[in-house]
Amino acid sequence: PRALLEYGFFHCDPHPGNILVTEDGKVALLDFGLCATIEKPSSKELSYATVNLVRGNFDELPTNAINLGFLDKDVDRSIVMPALTKVLSKGLASGLNTKERRVYFHSIQHDLNDMFFELPFSVPSLFWAFGKNTNSA
């Protein structure tokens, strides 16, 4: 996350074969064939979206999604908000700790995928690479 949010760069294929620990104990990433960069405005918006998600500020997420290119600026929020709130609120309202929330959000991946296909979402190309990164971690 630091490389992405501070430097706008991330390695999209972090698995044991692409990570090396040097003799002096530093971590070295290998195979930069699947990497991506993100411009500063998108990096900031991604940070805002993450904060809104963690805090349960779902009303702000459509604005984040518009600014990141997931939704058209003219989207009817009354169509998006009920589904978004239904899928996301359960994990935050249940009092789960951070680890349990992560497990929960992995468990609703199918619901999120359905929502993306049923509603007017699109996934900008940069975030396909980002999704590869988060799914392999």
Side-chain angles (χ1 to χ4, degrees):
R2 181 178 180 187
L4 173 63
L5 298 176
E6 285 187 33
Y7 307 112
F9 174 84
F10 61 99
H11 193 291
C12 300
D13 196 17
H15 60 78
N18 285 342
I19 300 171
L20 174 74
V21 178
T22 64
E23 289 182 15
D24 59 349
K26 294 181 182 177
V27 175
L29 294 174
L30 309 172
D31 187 3
F32 289 88
L34 190 55
C35 293
T37 58
I38 183 170
E39 298 297 322
K40 199 64 169 173
S42 293
S43 177
K44 280 187 167 186
E45 196 66 40
L46 187 58
S47 296
Y48 298 147
T50 302
V51 169
N52 287 329
L53 178 62
V54 170
R55 290 185 177 168
N57 297 334
F58 301 140
D59 290 340
E60 297 299 321
L61 290 174
T63 300
N64 301 134
I66 290 167
N67 292 340
L68 289 167
F70 286 93
L71 290 171
D72 186 75
K73 65 181 173 119
D74 298 321
V75 69
D76 183 352
R77 292 174 189 235
S78 69
I79 294 172
V80 174
M81 283 308 299
L84 190 64
T85 301
K86 179 183 176 188
V87 171
L88 298 176
S89 63
K90 189 174 170 185
L92 296 176
S94 62
L96 301 174
N97 65 37
T98 304
K99 183 177 180 183
E100 291 169 329
R101 283 183 187 176
R102 182 176 180 171
V103 170
Y104 171 74
F105 282 114
H106 273 315
S107 75
I108 64 168
Q109 212 166 17
H110 179 74
D111 293 334
L112 291 171
N113 286 342
D114 287 348
M115 185 175 67
F116 264 76
F117 284 107
E118 293 169 8
L119 298 173
F121 282 96
S122 61
V123 180
S125 59
L126 164 66
F127 290 96
W128 284 105
F130 182 67
K132 164 76 172 131
N133 179 281
T134 57
N135 285 330
S136 64

